[in-house]
Amino acid sequence: MGDKGTETGVAAMAACYQRFDPAAYLQYNYTPPRADFERKDSIVPWKLECLHRAFNEGDVSGELLVDIGSGPTLYQVLSGCEVFNQVLLTDFLEVNRQELRHWLQDEGSCSLDWTPYLQHVCKLEGRRPSAWTEKAAKLRQAITDILPIDVHRPQPLASDILPSEGADCLVSCFCLESVSPDLPAFNRALGHIGKLLRPSGHLLLIGALGESYYFGGPGVKIPVVPLNEAQVCASLSENGYTLIRLEVYTLPQDMRVGVDDVSGVFFVKARKD
Ligand code: SAM
């Protein structure tokens, strides 16, 4: 697809997202069987374990962690908020930012109860599950803001948001491939978010493998760029990252619940050159 085609594709993706339904999306992806904390092979515990390990190897540090395309979810910053004093959440859609604000303000009107997630990460950290209230307080204290972002813009965040050298670490889960019309747009988006990261800063990237669509709500079918591991690695290297680790999860049959056609999930830990 040429530049014009990609531009049209990006606009079409933005139009698709206007019907995104945070509560339905959470229900599809963040309840059992995909979030079954009794099962080692459930997708959410796998993601939490990858993030826990990546944040606790001693090489990831600094002051500011930015989550790119947070959506209505918090799981991706539950380990990071113990390492970084400041956590910035971002999303393209106001409905998702609103969902996150409900949790932040502890308004009791959240579409999902994050307690089992907080408890599970406490366990990973060797703390008693009842420490989850302290973790929730820590996260609420660490989140400095919830801001609009567009990864298709060369400058995805407003110009005065980040320190001039950039954030110390980026985390981004299921965002770039689910908002890009094709592989060149995915590559470019990875380049755009790289500008938000300081040299030698870390990128923790989680995403779908072999996925061509997912449902963002009832009847809201959102196209996805089907990626393989080689394409993810090539895109990282083209955009000036050194790969530290790539892990792959293959979806068990009973996790294929009809809300997408994902076949696996990748987890990447990389360092900006
Ligand atoms: N990070 C969450 C997770 O792990 O479940 C949400 C991922 S969801 C599949 C994709 C997210 O990308 C949505 O929250 C959507 O609003 C956001 N999004 C859509 N267009 C975007 C854009 N141009 N730039 C950044 N984020 C975008």
Side-chain angles (χ1 to χ4, degrees), residues 10 13-14 17-18 20 25-26 29-30 47 67-76 90-97 114 148-153 156 171-180 189 193 206 211 214-216 222 224:
V10 163
M13 293 298 304
Y17 272 98
Q18 295 317 307
F20 187 88
Y25 175 76
L26 289 167
N29 293 290
Y30 294 101
K47 289 192 278 182
D67 179 28
I68 308 290
S70 307
T73 70
L74 289 162
Y75 71 91
Q76 64 278 20
T90 67
D91 200 71
F92 185 67
L93 294 178
E94 169 57 18
V95 281
N96 285 333
R97 299 194 299 269
W114 292 101
I149 190 162
D150 184 350
V151 297
H152 297 307
R153 290 177 188 259
V171 60
S172 185
C173 305
F174 302 98
C175 177
L176 303 185
E177 72 282 10
S178 337
V179 309
S180 299
I193 66 166
I206 296 185
E211 186 178 48
Y214 78 100
F215 282 99
I222 300 180
V224 178

Side-chain angles (χ1 to χ4, degrees), residues 205-225:
L205 191 67
I206 296 185
L209 291 170
E211 186 178 48
S212 71
Y213 72 89
Y214 78 100
F215 282 99
V220 185
K221 195 171 182 177
I222 300 180
V224 178
V225 186

Side-chain angles (χ1 to χ4, degrees), residues 231-249:
Q231 287 165 330
V232 174
C233 292
S235 183
L236 287 164
S237 141
E238 267 169 47
N239 283 295
Y241 289 98
T242 299
L243 183 65
I244 297 173
R245 185 167 56 253
L246 172 77
E247 292 181 56
V248 170
Y249 168 92

Side-chain angles (χ1 to χ4, degrees), residues 71-186:
T73 70
L74 289 162
Y75 71 91
Q76 64 278 20
V77 291
L78 297 183
S79 292
C81 74
E82 303 290 342
V83 178
F84 292 90
N85 288 325
Q86 296 180 38
V87 175
L88 178 63
L89 303 180
T90 67
D91 200 71
F92 185 67
L93 294 178
E94 169 57 18
V95 281
N96 285 333
R97 299 194 299 269
Q98 179 77 31
E99 178 69 38
L100 296 171
R101 277 197 296 269
H102 284 320
W103 184 84
L104 190 59
Q105 289 153 12
D106 206 358
E107 285 172 349
S109 53
C110 295
S111 302
L112 190 79
D113 178 8
W114 292 101
T115 309
Y117 286 73
L118 290 155
Q119 288 171 331
H120 187 79
V121 179
C122 282
K123 269 202 244 171
L124 293 176
E125 289 168 357
R127 298 155 75 181
R128 57 197 201 291
S130 60
W132 74 269
T133 51
E134 292 154 32
K135 183 178 265 305
K138 179 110 184 216
L139 180 57
R140 285 194 171 98
Q141 192 189 16
I143 295 173
T144 50
D145 219 335
I146 302 170
L147 294 175
I149 190 162
D150 184 350
V151 297
H152 297 307
R153 290 177 188 259
Q155 192 182 293
L157 284 172
S159 59
D160 52 347
I161 303 296
L162 299 184
S164 56
E165 65 277 17
D168 298 297
C169 183
L170 301 182
V171 60
S172 185
C173 305
F174 302 98
C175 177
L176 303 185
E177 72 282 10
S178 337
V179 309
S180 299
D182 51 28
L183 190 58
F186 172 89

